[in-house]
Amino acid sequence: MSSTDSKELHEVADGCHAYLQSDGSWGWSNAGLIVGDGVSLLVDTLFDLKLTQKMLDSMRPITLASPIAQVVNTHANGDHCYGNILLDDTEIIASTATAHEMTEVPPALLAGLNSAPGEVGDMFRSFFGAFDFDGIELRLPDRTFDGRIDLDVGGRAVELIEVGPAHTTGDTLAYVPDARTIYTGDILFIGGTPIVWAGPLSNWVAACDLMLGMDVDVVVPGHGAITDKDGVASVRDYLSFVDDAAGRLQASGVDAWEATREIAAEIKARPDFGSLGEFGRIAVNVDTVYRHLDPTYSSPNVVEQFRRMALLESAG
């Protein structure tokens, strides 16, 4: 199933739905709806209120009979939680680490960057100009957990499994055993380059290995098309390659930015990774490897990280 399909809400397994947006690039995230007997569970909201309301409207034929009783935020990035406020009094659940990290990048910060004058504003609008962050009030989780929690969604078991820190500090998988379906949040980018904000990369590889060992047929990624275990394996292979390559260069004393450009050239020449979208994210990924290998290493600030990603993208 293609994420560019004109229909955004898909039933991917019995009572398990995926809401797919655009091409899955920056900010165009996926969400999910798990339906039990008379109630449902929403997996993630979207980047702004207009997009989230459009999604909720598309789900209304289902949620009229099975109202949304709970929302799970798989992690703290705004494209998976900024729409929370539209869920009124519905219980919101997230890992403890996710709930803490959600306070670090409020919608007002992105609104300010998107409206900034000059080069900085132009750069952030090139990433996030399609989204409207003005006036969004971030609603934080009502309930948090650590490690794992089992939910009952109208008599249907849903397992929440914390696998972060990886993409962010508190990434969560939502697994529906009876449908052999898993919602991964941004532990999976399909067709796009994974971005490792938190790391270490080995934790993310371990999360992929965990999924590969589970009884799963249908995999709903945080971005991109519906996949299966082949998609999980491809993300794992990318992360393992970057972790190994950056580790070798760091041990040889190569500067992180120089290492980024060297690894980027290797990736571009590979048939398996060379065509991934959002190629510039390799800058953040290499930087994360260096940060975890050397406690004294200081990462560039977020503006510089986005500048480097944009520079790599423009260089092709």
Side-chain angles (χ1 to χ4, degrees), residues 22-78:
S22 185
D23 59 358
S25 59
W26 284 102
W28 296 105
S29 55
N30 299 333
L33 187 71
I34 303 165
V35 182
D37 184 8
V39 296
S40 59
L41 169 73
L42 182 66
V43 181
D44 285 331
T45 58
L46 304 180
F47 216 177
D48 67 22
L49 302 187
K50 180 180 178 181
L51 291 172
T52 301
Q53 188 61 59
K54 180 184 176 185
M55 176 182 72
L56 295 174
D57 290 345
S58 77
M59 294 175 172
R60 187 162 291 126
I62 301 167
T63 58
L64 282 173
S66 299
I68 297 170
Q70 294 169 313
V71 180
V72 172
N73 291 139
T74 59
H75 63 289
N77 286 173

Side-chain angles (χ1 to χ4, degrees), residues 135-214:
I136 299 178
E137 296 181 20
L138 182 57
R139 185 179 166 206
L140 297 173
D142 304 292
R143 179 164 39 138
T144 59
F145 71 97
D146 296 292
R148 177 179 175 140
I149 187 173
D150 294 338
L151 303 179
D152 183 315
V153 181
R156 185 173 213 179
V158 177
E159 302 172 8
L160 303 184
I161 306 165
E162 185 180 18
V163 294
H167 169 63
T168 61
T169 61
D171 305 288
T172 295
L173 309 173
Y175 176 47
V176 190
D178 68 13
R180 300 170 63 139
T181 297
I182 193 163
Y183 297 82
T184 73
D186 283 1
I187 289 298
L188 286 190
F189 291 77
I190 299 301
T193 300
I195 185 166
V196 194
W197 291 116
L201 276 68
S202 58
N203 280 7
W204 197 332
V205 170
C208 291
D209 284 338
L210 174 68
M211 289 189 285
L212 290 171
M214 295 171 70

Side-chain angles (χ1 to χ4, degrees), residues 4-123:
T4 57
D5 193 312
S6 60
K7 182 173 178 287
E8 291 171 306
L9 185 64
H10 306 262
E11 186 168 17
V12 296
D14 183 25
C16 292
H17 303 262
Y19 189 82
L20 308 179
Q21 287 199 104
S22 185
D23 59 358
S25 59
W26 284 102
W28 296 105
S29 55
N30 299 333
L33 187 71
I34 303 165
V35 182
D37 184 8
V39 296
S40 59
L41 169 73
L42 182 66
V43 181
D44 285 331
T45 58
L46 304 180
F47 216 177
D48 67 22
L49 302 187
K50 180 180 178 181
L51 291 172
T52 301
Q53 188 61 59
K54 180 184 176 185
M55 176 182 72
L56 295 174
D57 290 345
S58 77
M59 294 175 172
R60 187 162 291 126
I62 301 167
T63 58
L64 282 173
S66 299
I68 297 170
Q70 294 169 313
V71 180
V72 172
N73 291 139
T74 59
H75 63 289
N77 286 173
D79 53 342
H80 296 261
C81 65
Y82 279 1
N84 284 359
I85 193 67
L86 294 182
L87 274 298
D88 298 322
D89 297 323
T90 304
E91 183 183 42
I92 297 175
I93 304 169
S95 71
T96 302
T98 290
H100 175 76
E101 191 175 8
M102 284 168 66
T103 65
E104 297 177 356
V105 185
L109 175 61
L110 284 181
L113 290 169
N114 254 5
S115 61
E119 181 182 352
V120 170
D122 289 342
M123 180 179 67

